[in-house]
Amino acid sequence: MDEKVNIAILMATYNSDRYIIQQLDSILQQTYTRWHLYIHDDGSADKTLQILSQYAEANPERITILDYPSQGNAYANFMSLLSRVDAPLYMFTDHDDVWHTDKVAKSHEAYERQKALTPDKPVIVHTDLCVVDEDLNVINPSFWKMAGIHPEMFRRQGSRISNIVTGCTMLFDSQARLSALNRAPYGSPLHDEWITVCACSDGGVVVPVHESLIDYRQHGDNTLGAEACCNTKTGSFYVSHVFSLLKENIENYKTLRSAGYGSYMKYIFNKVRNFIYYHIKY
């Protein structure tokens, strides 16, 4: 990597030709310029590769397409990119969103502030998102409010039992990268979840930026949309789904355990504590 570049932006694409141009343009328009975009396509059958090739040829100092076999899912695609690219800092980008022009700059500023305080720990920065429809009309200016996410709650308690970090908002360092690559996950976690829990297991710090710096596009082809993350569960929901929730928590604990988490009793204690704290505070 060029010594003038300190951030590797990793993009995983698959049948992305409908929205990819807007996303590439938004990245190229960033006010912070010390970055390089690495892209791996997972076997697109549309015009995605043609578009990517045109952009890479026009911006060779900015964009590199990595050619290797398809990985089969988002986790494997993003983690394969992460394992192949060496850089001081990393960001992930989906193919169908739009970045605000100061997204990289503000994320990097938050990282630098925290790293100065905790130089020996992995650091992850993540931001809020503006939820938009497929035509970029605003649905909700804050994904965190829409989904009932309160990042400061987890930062204070330091007991992370679920993931609140959205991959396309992350900026993290090589220490966090190694935390994730040096472990093998149980099950099939999301790439953002795995990196976050592994970094936290190694004493890492997760820093929220309370500003929406990305237009998070919702459309019929989303792998995981905003609506699926909304906090709409009621008491009756928990009662009627007690067995499925129990199974879900057992699987979640096994994933956390493979990242270095403690005993199941610790998990239950933190789960109950966070549930009570959430409903008292919010």
Side-chain angles (χ1 to χ4, degrees):
M1 174 174 283
D2 190 320
E3 63 180 12
K4 296 180 180 179
V5 174
N6 68 341
I7 300 175
I9 302 175
L10 309 180
M11 174 184 281
T13 60
Y14 178 73
N15 288 342
S16 311
D17 64 358
R18 187 176 179 184
Y19 304 114
I20 191 68
I21 289 176
Q22 286 180 303
Q23 178 64 312
L24 291 171
D25 286 344
S26 74
I27 294 173
L28 289 169
Q29 292 165 6
Q30 291 297 302
T31 58
Y32 186 94
T33 58
R34 293 181 61 196
W35 55 264
H36 192 91
L37 175 62
Y38 296 87
I39 307 171
H40 177 250
D41 184 77
D42 216 36
S44 293
D46 59 6
K47 296 180 180 179
T48 298
L49 280 173
Q50 178 182 337
I51 295 170
L52 294 178
S53 296
Q54 291 171 351
Y55 270 79
E57 289 174 7
N59 303 276
E61 76 289 353
R62 287 288 183 201
I63 301 174
T64 298
I65 300 174
L66 300 182
D67 184 15
Y68 55 88
S70 298
Q71 301 298 296
N73 58 58
Y75 169 84
N77 203 355
F78 277 115
M79 294 302 289
S80 69
L81 279 163
L82 190 62
S83 69
R84 286 170 167 82
V85 177
D86 289 320
L89 300 171
Y90 298 86
M91 301 181 79
F92 291 128
T93 174
D94 293 334
H95 62 260
D96 51 0
D97 300 322
V98 174
W99 285 15
H100 299 186
T101 56
D102 55 358
K103 179 182 188 295
V104 178
K106 289 185 175 180
S107 296
H108 186 258
E109 288 169 5
Y111 171 82
E112 288 291 297
R113 287 194 297 269
Q114 181 60 49
K115 198 64 176 179
L117 299 173
T118 54
D120 299 324
K121 295 182 178 181
V123 173
I124 297 173
V125 172
H126 67 121
T127 79
D128 201 351
L129 312 89
C130 179
V131 183
V132 300
D133 66 17
E134 61 183 351
D135 297 316
L136 301 181
N137 299 307
V138 176
I139 298 173
N140 195 306
S142 171
F143 172 67
W144 288 353
K145 290 181 180 179
M146 182 179 178
I149 293 173
H150 300 276
E152 66 279 1
M153 170 181 157
F154 291 91
R155 190 180 189 189
R156 282 198 302 269
Q157 292 185 357
S159 301
R160 187 167 299 274
I161 57 171
S162 60
N163 186 46
I164 58 170
V165 177
T166 306
C168 58
T169 74
M170 297 174 73
L171 184 149
F172 58 96
D173 56 26
S174 57
Q175 289 171 276
R177 170 188 184 256
L178 290 176
S179 292
L181 293 180
N182 287 340
R183 293 178 169 93
Y186 169 87
S188 301
L190 297 173
H191 56 286
D192 47 19
E193 174 187 17
W194 183 245
I195 293 166
T196 302
V197 298
C198 288
C200 288
S201 289
D202 288 341
V205 180
V206 179
V207 180
V209 175
H210 289 264
E211 188 173 351
S212 296
L213 298 178
I214 178 175
D215 289 338
Y216 185 37
R217 196 194 304 261
Q218 304 301 291
H219 55 84
D221 297 327
N222 279 55
T223 300
L224 179 64
E227 187 174 348
C229 301
C230 286
N231 186 24
T232 57
K233 297 180 177 65
T234 62
S236 60
F237 175 89
Y238 288 108
V239 171
S240 61
H241 293 78
V242 61
F243 291 109
S244 61
L245 290 171
L246 177 61
K247 181 179 179 180
E248 178 182 309
N249 275 278
I250 291 173
E251 295 299 300
N252 184 48
Y253 169 72
K254 289 179 178 178
T255 298
L256 290 171
R257 181 69 175 172
S258 66
Y261 197 81
S263 69
Y264 195 55
M265 292 304 298
K266 175 185 176 182
Y267 176 80
I268 294 173
F269 173 80
N270 286 323
K271 187 79 173 181
V272 173
R273 183 178 69 170
N274 288 348
F275 181 84
I276 293 172
Y277 182 88
Y278 177 87
H279 286 281
I280 290 176
K281 179 69 175 178
Y282 304 108

